[in-house]
Amino acid sequence: MSLEITFLGTGSAYPSPARGASALVLRREGQCWLFDCGEGTQTQLMRSHLRAARITKIFITHLHGDHLFGLPGLLCTLSLQSTPDASKAPVDIYGPLGLRSFLWRSLELSHSQLLFPYTVHELVPTPDQCPPEEFKDFSGWDRGEELPQGPPGRVLHLDPGEDSYLLVEDEQLVVRAFRLFHRVPSFGFVLEEKPRPGRLNVQKLKELG
């Protein structure tokens, strides 16, 4: 399995003429996975060798603006480059609780309609992930409101035994989120490659002693 990492932005708080806000792309098996999407990420993508249309998963570490203000714009640009296809697999977006509402409201208020499906998988934080005065419980944010066109997706809780959140698992790797401690609930992501059994010619080894 080959993995390639491209840093699109390493700036803190805001972008600069020569340095974008937080964004990183991992390229794997022809797919691109985007980690954080600060302001200007799509411009950085255009300057890179990467193709934005290959983004299949997006991971947001936390809900500070310098890590996600570029996301609605990127999704809209991807939509402009797309054609309607009901059979297309959705873009999976992972991030803290509240991300689904942020995206839905941003796209709804800007009258933006995406031509491709997307799902939002929200991670439920624990109150001890940030100072008590900064913790906001978004679990009832949309209670009582109908989101008829809101994106589908899972709500993921911490697995106490693993002290992490299981996000993705396939034949080659496992992706988990773990808690970080910041001013607001934050998450890090771990990609762990599964063991690959070797191929040995047992008979040949015996012949060679």
Side-chain angles (χ1 to χ4, degrees), residues 81-92:
Q81 298 172 349
S82 302
T83 54
D85 183 358
S87 64
K88 185 176 181 179
V91 174
D92 287 303

Side-chain angles (χ1 to χ4, degrees), residues 154-207:
R154 297 174 291 158
V155 175
L156 304 171
H157 294 268
L158 179 73
D159 180 344
E162 297 287 342
D163 196 29
S164 64
Y165 304 73
L166 177 61
L167 306 184
V168 180
E169 183 171 12
D170 61 24
E171 297 81 9
Q172 293 182 315
L173 58 73
V174 176
V175 182
R176 294 183 182 273
F178 61 93
R179 295 175 298 163
L180 296 177
F181 300 87
H182 186 35
R183 282 182 45 232
V184 298
S186 305
F187 299 91
F189 302 99
V190 171
L191 286 77
E192 182 178 359
E193 189 174 2
K194 290 183 176 180
R196 290 181 292 173
R199 296 179 180 177
L200 293 177
N201 186 328
V202 177
Q203 184 59 38
K204 188 69 175 177
L205 288 173
K206 288 181 178 179
E207 292 172 0

Side-chain angles (χ1 to χ4, degrees), residues 12-192:
S12 176
Y14 55 87
S16 69
R19 191 172 182 178
S22 181
L24 177 154
V25 169
L26 183 146
R27 189 163 64 170
R28 173 208 176 213
E29 307 293 330
Q31 299 180 18
C32 290
W33 294 2
L34 176 65
F35 292 81
D36 278 342
C37 190
E39 182 183 348
T41 293
Q42 57 179 316
T43 303
Q44 294 292 86
L45 275 166
M46 292 173 191
R47 291 173 177 162
S48 75
H49 64 284
L50 302 167
R51 291 182 56 192
R54 292 190 180 274
I55 294 175
T56 58
K57 297 187 188 300
I58 300 172
F59 302 83
I60 301 297
T61 58
H62 61 294
L63 299 184
H64 275 156
D66 56 329
H67 292 256
L68 88 158
F69 279 165
L71 185 52
L74 174 64
L75 294 177
C76 289
T77 297
L78 292 178
S79 181
L80 290 173
Q81 298 172 349
S82 302
T83 54
D85 183 358
S87 64
K88 185 176 181 179
V91 174
D92 287 303
I93 304 174
Y94 301 84
L97 196 65
L99 181 59
R100 178 183 286 109
S101 182
F102 168 79
L103 278 178
W104 183 82
R105 292 173 189 275
S106 297
L107 297 172
E108 182 74 8
L109 290 171
S110 60
H111 298 266
S112 302
Q113 295 182 342
L114 303 185
L115 296 180
F116 61 88
Y118 72 103
T119 58
V120 179
H121 309 288
E122 295 184 299
L123 313 179
V124 179
T126 58
D128 60 346
Q129 280 183 247
C130 66
E133 64 273 13
E134 295 281 357
F135 184 81
K136 294 181 180 179
D137 182 4
F138 291 121
S139 59
W141 190 255
D142 297 308
R143 188 170 295 157
E145 290 189 42
E146 289 189 7
L147 302 182
Q149 297 175 346
R154 297 174 291 158
V155 175
L156 304 171
H157 294 268
L158 179 73
D159 180 344
E162 297 287 342
D163 196 29
S164 64
Y165 304 73
L166 177 61
L167 306 184
V168 180
E169 183 171 12
D170 61 24
E171 297 81 9
Q172 293 182 315
L173 58 73
V174 176
V175 182
R176 294 183 182 273
F178 61 93
R179 295 175 298 163
L180 296 177
F181 300 87
H182 186 35
R183 282 182 45 232
V184 298
S186 305
F187 299 91
F189 302 99
V190 171
L191 286 77
E192 182 178 359

